Amino acid sequence: MTLRGRLTAAFLVVVLGPVLLGAFFVASTVTAVDRSRSTERLAVAASTVRTSVDALCQQLRATADAVALTGDPAVAAAQLVGRGLAAAVLVTDVNGRVTYASPDAPPTPWRDCSEPATASSGPVRALAARVDRRDPAGALLGTVAAAHLVDPAFVARLAAVTGVAVTLLDGGASAARFTHTTESREGRDAVLAAAGATSGERVTESTKGRYVRRIGPSVGQPLPLVLSVPSERPPMLHVTLAGVVVLAGLLAVFTAWRLARVTTRPLAELAGAVDRVAHGDLTARVPVRSHDELGRLAAAFNRMTRETGSYVAALTSSRDQLRGHLAVLGDTLASTHDLQRILRVILHSAIAATGARAGAVLLVEAGGLLVAQCSEGLDGRWPAGDPDGSQGLRVPVGVGVVGAVAATGEPQRGRMEPADAPSGEPRCRTYVAVPFATPGGATTSVPGGERSLDEAGAPAAALGVLALYDRVGAAEFDDDDLDTLRTFAGHAAVAVENVRVHEEAQRLSLTDPLTGLWNYRYLRESIRREVERASRFGRMLSVLALDLDRFKDVNDTYGHAAGDTVLAEFARRVRGEIREVDLAFRQGGEEFVLLLPETDSRGAAIVAERLGAAVRETPIAVEAYAGPIVVTVSVGIAVYPDHGSTGREVLEAADDALYAAKAAGRDTYRVAEARPDVPTREIPVPAGAVSPPDGLPRAGRPVQVPREPGGHARSESAAGVPESNRSGPAHARPDPADEPAATAADAARAGPDVAWPGPGGGASSGPHPPRQSRGR
């Protein structure tokens, strides 16, 4: 779309938008007011109908009572009918035989006032009220029914009283047929169709512009009636509004076209000149027709074309340099997550851009120490005690030039005599050092440039320092070099931050966001790795399947927010009951899994008992609820290799044991049954005066170990081992000296987030601070 078309469309939107909104508002407001008033009229009419029918029923009930209390019902009935209190009176005995009926009585059955009609009741011919007739002793003599004729005159009186059109339906529920109506002939079918399409006493609108409401039949008002009132909307309202909108649109189109044509003519000339410049004609000029904004734009364009010509030669000469920078940028982008490679590219580009002879990129590590991640040209610049730089560039924060830059966050440049080089830094004559911090924060102006600020407004801690030494030609680094180096330092900050974000994303992909435990994805990898490790070193691995009992009731009773609180608190208690080498996972929903390396069924049972007690004995407090929530946990235990030869088999055995715990009444644990078809293998244990420090079996001379039925090794020690040395817990942390040499390689393969047994091992139940191991 051209600019003229866009301007025209914008003007039409600005002009026609309010017109359309106003028309829509008027139409909707009139319709809403009309519906509200009609609904109110129908509500008043429905109340009037109920009152009138109820009054008629009370009158008929009084008439029937008067006849029932007289000794001669025929005479009393004739008098009351003659006075117009009822259209007919019917007297029956206890057997239902008619003993008296008024002449010209309407056909029966009559519709009783006290009972609602049903869909198959048929047309209503008369309303009746029935009372029992008894003798002075209270014995039942029969019934007396007083009736009032329901005819067109009765319906007309209801319409006159209520002020609306009334239709008496032919049946209790269907609106397909009617008995009497005051509706006009042309609107009758539309009213009946609208009444049949609605249920209850809701108000609906017919196709003929009338609002319709059904009432009854119900107790006290047994007549199936349809009430309707005409709509009060002005005729041809929508047609009138549409005509106004069309007329306003035509006028707006003409005005917008004229304004757009006048406005876009100078812009069209400018666009033509731009096209000529784009095709290489730098002599193109735009006529300046006025001194307004468009005239100033044309003059500025003419100046720009003249100055552009002078830049073409300079741009041509710097083309090769631009290609080199693009190659560096492509190399950097290709190394997004390789921090060392990115930093090397940045350092090399900074040295080439500033003409430095040497340089280094240092990052702040734990303990406040700046360590060089990459360097170039530092050979022969080290003190006499370290001529080859074997110690590397390692400077404490706050010490020397680069240490001061990292501590203060302010760049530095200047000259330095080689003999005055700070300890630990290379010798140089000129230097420039720029810090870099986490990107994205605010900045403040400082002497020599800008400084990053953190979220609180305080100076941001430096991530590292980019330092260059000895500019070519022995000249001192200037402010342009400082600005260039600050740009490369910003790239280094972005690279470090991207790598950290990538590592954090990898960690988050393996954890459950609600509980902080490892997720099911990491469970599959961990159980495979732990089974392989247990098989390699001849150890046991216990798998505990945990499930919160009746957790669905917690969600249904207190809500899912309370359920999430219970799950998070349960995970916290689980982490408090396991060791650092143990792994805790959230398998899904309220199901959890624990992997206990080097643990037999006895130690796993102790853990299950402690978990059950930790959950059972302390109810979980949930905010916004008066009392704490009491939950329990069922646990299924399986041990490798007793209950499975693969991780999947052991996990399935733990699930079967969990089902057994559920079947046993919940709030308990069960150990999986040993596989009868898998032969067990005795693990030889060396016979000696004392058992190993961790109480675990070691390879050696074969020693027969007594076993219980089912293939489980009894907890008693082997022959020749003193009783006093059997006190070590079955679920204790192993001694690091007893770990095979392959453990380090396994840990390296497993990744940095996996905690292996040994000193300083991190907690394995998720990204939480390390805890002290607890005995079983």
Side-chain angles (χ1 to χ4, degrees), residues 174-542:
S174 175
R177 297 180 302 172
F178 67 94
T179 304
H180 308 296
T181 183
T182 61
E183 295 281 356
S184 61
R185 185 179 300 275
E186 57 273 11
R188 180 191 307 160
D189 294 337
V191 169
L192 293 177
T198 186
S199 60
E201 296 191 2
R202 291 184 299 178
V203 177
T204 185
E205 187 176 2
S206 69
T207 57
K208 295 296 184 180
R210 296 183 68 86
Y211 290 95
V212 181
R213 177 176 176 174
R214 293 181 61 175
I215 62 171
S218 61
V219 177
Q221 202 292 98
L223 301 178
L225 301 177
V226 175
L227 309 181
S228 71
V229 293
S231 173
E232 298 181 358
R233 286 195 300 270
M236 307 294 291
L237 172 64
H238 294 86
V239 176
T240 303
L241 293 177
V244 171
V245 170
V246 171
L247 182 61
L250 293 177
L251 181 61
V253 168
F254 176 76
T255 305
W257 179 80
R258 289 291 301 173
L259 291 176
R261 185 174 182 276
V262 173
T263 303
T264 58
R265 180 182 177 184
L267 295 177
E269 295 175 345
L270 180 61
V274 170
D275 288 338
R276 293 171 58 189
V277 171
H279 288 85
D281 184 8
L282 296 179
T283 62
R285 299 293 183 268
V286 179
V288 180
R289 302 181 181 276
S290 61
H291 298 287
D292 56 4
E293 290 81 0
L294 293 177
R296 293 198 299 270
L297 179 63
F301 175 81
N302 294 335
R303 291 195 304 270
M304 181 187 68
T305 53
R306 285 193 298 269
E307 294 176 0
T308 301
S310 62
Y311 289 135
V312 171
L315 292 177
T316 302
S317 62
S318 63
R319 180 179 55 189
D320 295 337
Q321 183 179 0
L322 177 60
R323 289 176 179 175
H325 285 293
L326 291 178
V328 171
L329 178 60
D331 193 9
T332 304
L333 294 178
S335 313
T336 304
H337 302 305
D338 187 349
L339 182 59
Q340 298 296 326
R341 184 180 180 188
I342 294 175
L343 295 181
R344 285 195 301 271
V345 170
I346 292 174
L347 177 61
H348 178 76
S349 301
I351 291 176
T354 59
R357 296 180 183 274
V361 179
L362 302 92
L363 296 183
V364 179
E365 295 189 353
L369 189 65
L370 280 167
V371 178
Q373 302 298 316
C374 61
S375 60
E376 185 173 338
L378 296 183
D379 296 340
R381 296 177 178 270
W382 299 100
D386 187 21
D388 297 330
S390 58
Q391 297 178 355
L393 186 54
R394 304 172 65 87
V395 181
V397 175
V399 177
V401 174
V402 294
V405 170
T408 61
E410 297 181 5
Q412 294 187 15
R413 64 181 180 88
R415 284 185 172 273
M416 180 186 303
E417 293 299 327
D420 298 333
S423 176
E425 295 188 36
R427 295 189 300 267
C428 65
R429 294 188 178 275
T430 59
Y431 68 90
V432 59
V434 176
F436 53 90
T438 302
T443 59
T444 183
S445 297
V446 297
E450 295 181 343
R451 182 173 179 179
S452 299
L453 301 177
D454 58 13
E455 296 179 355
L463 292 176
V465 176
L466 175 58
L468 300 181
Y469 303 101
D470 290 343
R471 187 176 181 182
V472 176
E476 186 176 347
F477 292 97
D478 55 21
D479 291 338
D480 291 338
D481 295 326
L482 195 63
D483 292 337
T484 301
L485 199 62
R486 186 180 291 111
T487 301
F488 286 107
H491 294 330
V494 171
V496 173
E497 183 67 16
N498 286 344
V499 170
R500 291 181 177 179
V501 169
H502 177 68
E503 293 175 351
E504 179 67 11
Q506 285 185 324
R507 184 187 66 83
L508 292 177
S509 68
L510 299 177
T511 57
D512 175 58
L514 175 62
T515 62
L517 303 181
W518 301 118
N519 58 19
Y520 179 71
R521 173 185 176 185
Y522 195 56
L523 169 62
R524 294 183 298 176
E525 173 64 21
S526 298
I527 195 170
R528 179 193 61 79
R529 184 180 61 248
E530 291 297 331
V531 166
E532 291 179 355
R533 181 172 178 268
S535 175
R536 184 184 306 117
F537 301 129
R539 305 292 177 86
M540 287 185 174
L541 171 67
S542 290

Side-chain angles (χ1 to χ4, degrees), residues 576-595:
E577 296 296 332
I578 62 177
R579 306 169 303 179
E580 294 181 359
V581 297
D582 298 334
L583 298 170
F585 307 85
R586 183 184 180 193
Q587 190 172 10
E590 68 275 16
E591 299 178 1
F592 298 81
V593 174
L594 297 182
L595 300 185

Side-chain angles (χ1 to χ4, degrees), residues 86-218:
V89 175
L90 183 66
V91 181
T92 59
D93 57 13
V94 294
N95 297 322
R97 293 192 300 272
V98 177
T99 59
Y100 174 78
S102 299
D104 299 328
T108 57
W110 299 339
R111 185 66 55 84
D112 196 335
C113 290
S114 60
E115 297 181 0
T118 61
S120 59
S121 298
V124 180
R125 303 300 183 187
L127 279 177
R130 301 179 185 275
V131 297
D132 294 334
R133 182 167 170 262
R134 300 178 182 275
D135 59 9
L140 182 63
L141 301 178
T143 60
V144 177
H148 188 282
L149 186 63
V150 178
D151 54 3
F154 175 78
V155 176
R157 286 196 298 274
L158 287 179
V161 171
T162 58
V164 300
V166 180
T167 300
L168 177 64
L169 299 179
D170 185 8
S174 175
R177 297 180 302 172
F178 67 94
T179 304
H180 308 296
T181 183
T182 61
E183 295 281 356
S184 61
R185 185 179 300 275
E186 57 273 11
R188 180 191 307 160
D189 294 337
V191 169
L192 293 177
T198 186
S199 60
E201 296 191 2
R202 291 184 299 178
V203 177
T204 185
E205 187 176 2
S206 69
T207 57
K208 295 296 184 180
R210 296 183 68 86
Y211 290 95
V212 181
R213 177 176 176 174
R214 293 181 61 175
I215 62 171
S218 61

Side-chain angles (χ1 to χ4, degrees), residues 455-775:
E455 296 179 355
L463 292 176
V465 176
L466 175 58
L468 300 181
Y469 303 101
D470 290 343
R471 187 176 181 182
V472 176
E476 186 176 347
F477 292 97
D478 55 21
D479 291 338
D480 291 338
D481 295 326
L482 195 63
D483 292 337
T484 301
L485 199 62
R486 186 180 291 111
T487 301
F488 286 107
H491 294 330
V494 171
V496 173
E497 183 67 16
N498 286 344
V499 170
R500 291 181 177 179
V501 169
H502 177 68
E503 293 175 351
E504 179 67 11
Q506 285 185 324
R507 184 187 66 83
L508 292 177
S509 68
L510 299 177
T511 57
D512 175 58
L514 175 62
T515 62
L517 303 181
W518 301 118
N519 58 19
Y520 179 71
R521 173 185 176 185
Y522 195 56
L523 169 62
R524 294 183 298 176
E525 173 64 21
S526 298
I527 195 170
R528 179 193 61 79
R529 184 180 61 248
E530 291 297 331
V531 166
E532 291 179 355
R533 181 172 178 268
S535 175
R536 184 184 306 117
F537 301 129
R539 305 292 177 86
M540 287 185 174
L541 171 67
S542 290
V543 178
L544 274 65
L546 296 81
D547 187 276
L548 290 178
D549 298 328
R550 298 184 176 89
F551 183 74
K552 183 177 182 298
D553 296 341
V554 175
N555 284 334
D556 295 342
T557 304
Y558 303 98
H560 287 278
D564 291 345
T565 301
V566 170
L567 290 176
E569 175 61 19
F570 175 73
R572 188 189 67 81
R573 297 183 185 182
V574 167
R575 289 195 295 267
E577 296 296 332
I578 62 177
R579 306 169 303 179
E580 294 181 359
V581 297
D582 298 334
L583 298 170
F585 307 85
R586 183 184 180 193
Q587 190 172 10
E590 68 275 16
E591 299 178 1
F592 298 81
V593 174
L594 297 182
L595 300 185
L596 310 181
E598 303 179 356
T599 305
D600 58 8
S601 59
R602 184 184 65 179
I606 295 175
V607 176
E609 291 175 353
R610 288 190 176 180
L611 287 175
V615 176
R616 180 192 321 109
E617 295 174 359
T618 306
I620 298 175
V622 178
E623 187 177 355
Y625 294 100
I629 300 175
V630 179
V631 295
T632 58
V633 62
S634 298
V635 184
I637 301 173
V639 180
Y640 171 84
D642 294 344
H643 304 125
S645 57
T646 64
R648 181 175 181 180
E649 292 178 357
V650 178
L651 186 59
E652 290 176 353
D655 285 337
D656 294 339
L658 174 61
Y659 295 146
K662 290 285 188 180
R666 298 182 175 89
D667 191 18
T668 185
Y669 70 89
R670 288 292 183 269
V671 180
E673 297 181 358
R675 300 176 298 171
D677 56 336
V678 178
T680 59
R681 179 174 58 87
E682 298 292 344
I683 300 177
V685 181
V690 294
S691 61
D694 57 359
L696 298 175
R698 294 290 189 274
R701 293 186 300 275
V703 177
Q704 295 298 326
V705 180
R707 306 190 70 85
E708 297 176 351
H712 295 280
R714 292 202 299 267
S715 59
E716 288 82 359
S717 59
V721 180
E723 183 68 19
S724 60
N725 290 322
R726 291 187 242 142
S727 57
H731 187 64
R733 185 171 178 175
D735 192 298
D738 295 329
E739 286 295 330
T743 304
D746 297 334
R749 286 193 299 270
D753 294 335
V754 179
W756 294 89
S764 300
S765 55
H768 301 276
R771 304 180 306 279
Q772 295 296 330
S773 300
R774 300 181 59 178

Side-chain angles (χ1 to χ4, degrees), residues 20-83:
L20 292 173
L21 291 177
F24 176 77
F25 176 76
V26 170
S28 60
T29 302
V30 171
T31 301
V33 170
D34 178 49
R35 184 179 182 88
S36 176
R37 295 181 61 182
S38 300
T39 301
E40 184 178 356
R41 287 182 60 190
L42 290 174
V44 173
S47 177
T48 304
V49 168
R50 292 190 181 94
T51 303
S52 300
V53 174
D54 184 66
L56 177 60
C57 290
Q58 295 293 338
Q59 176 182 324
L60 294 177
R61 191 172 291 106
T63 301
D65 286 336
V67 174
L69 294 175
T70 60
D72 190 355
V75 176
Q79 292 176 353
L80 293 174
V81 171
R83 292 170 59 186

